[in-house]
Amino acid sequence: QVQLVESGGGSVQPEGSLRLSCSASGVTTINEYSMAWFRQAPGEKREGIAALSNSDSLSVSYKDSVEGRFTISRDSDKNTLYLQMNSLRPEDTGIYTCAATRGKSNSLYSFAYTFWGQGALVTVSS
């Protein structure tokens, strides 16, 4: 069974940076999986913010509001997905969750993903 565990959340001031990690276990290699980051802001629905397809295509997609500030990447040797977040804004506050699915997808929709982590809280505030 695939298990995903996020780390790296915390509190940061506006314009600061954080890097989230999502460690995958129960997989041979994350290269077989397409993976994504989702965010749920307080009182809001969960939304996809960044997705990275499996090694067959490595296509990437971002939510408009984070493109140019956030970067999704993975280290297949460590079976870990990352989200580098720069120039953080208060509206980036929320619970960040990683998700995975076998095969090719760079979807930002929840229904495209099979496996989910528990989430990590990111708070952006002065």
Side-chain angles (χ1 to χ4, degrees):
Q1 180 72 3
V2 176
Q3 291 188 322
L4 305 173
V5 179
E6 301 90 343
S7 61
S11 296
V12 63
Q13 293 187 340
E15 295 304 312
S17 297
L18 277 177
R19 188 178 78 160
L20 299 179
S21 300
C22 172
S23 178
S25 60
V27 302
T28 302
T29 171
I30 61 170
N31 285 338
E32 296 176 352
Y33 293 81
S34 297
M35 303 183 75
W37 287 98
F38 288 78
R39 176 176 70 199
Q40 185 168 19
E44 302 290 333
K45 294 181 180 180
R46 184 169 60 190
E47 59 182 0
I49 58 171
L52 175 62
S53 186
N54 68 358
S55 60
D56 287 349
S57 79
L58 289 177
S59 62
V60 178
S61 58
Y62 292 99
K63 180 179 173 61
D64 287 348
S65 63
V66 307
E67 188 153 21
R69 300 187 297 124
F70 291 10
T71 303
I72 187 171
S73 64
R74 69 171 154 228
D75 184 334
S76 57
D77 290 337
K78 297 180 179 179
N79 277 343
T80 300
L81 179 75
Y82 299 102
L83 183 68
Q84 177 66 44
M85 305 185 291
N86 299 327
S87 301
L88 282 160
R89 305 167 180 169
E91 55 264 38
D92 293 319
T93 293
I95 297 173
Y96 285 71
T97 306
C98 68
T101 191
R102 292 188 70 95
K104 177 182 175 180
S105 174
N106 64 348
S107 173
L108 294 178
Y109 291 102
S110 299
F111 63 74
Y113 296 90
T114 307
F115 306 104
W116 292 83
Q118 293 299 309
L121 178 62
V122 172
T123 303
V124 184
S125 173
S126 55

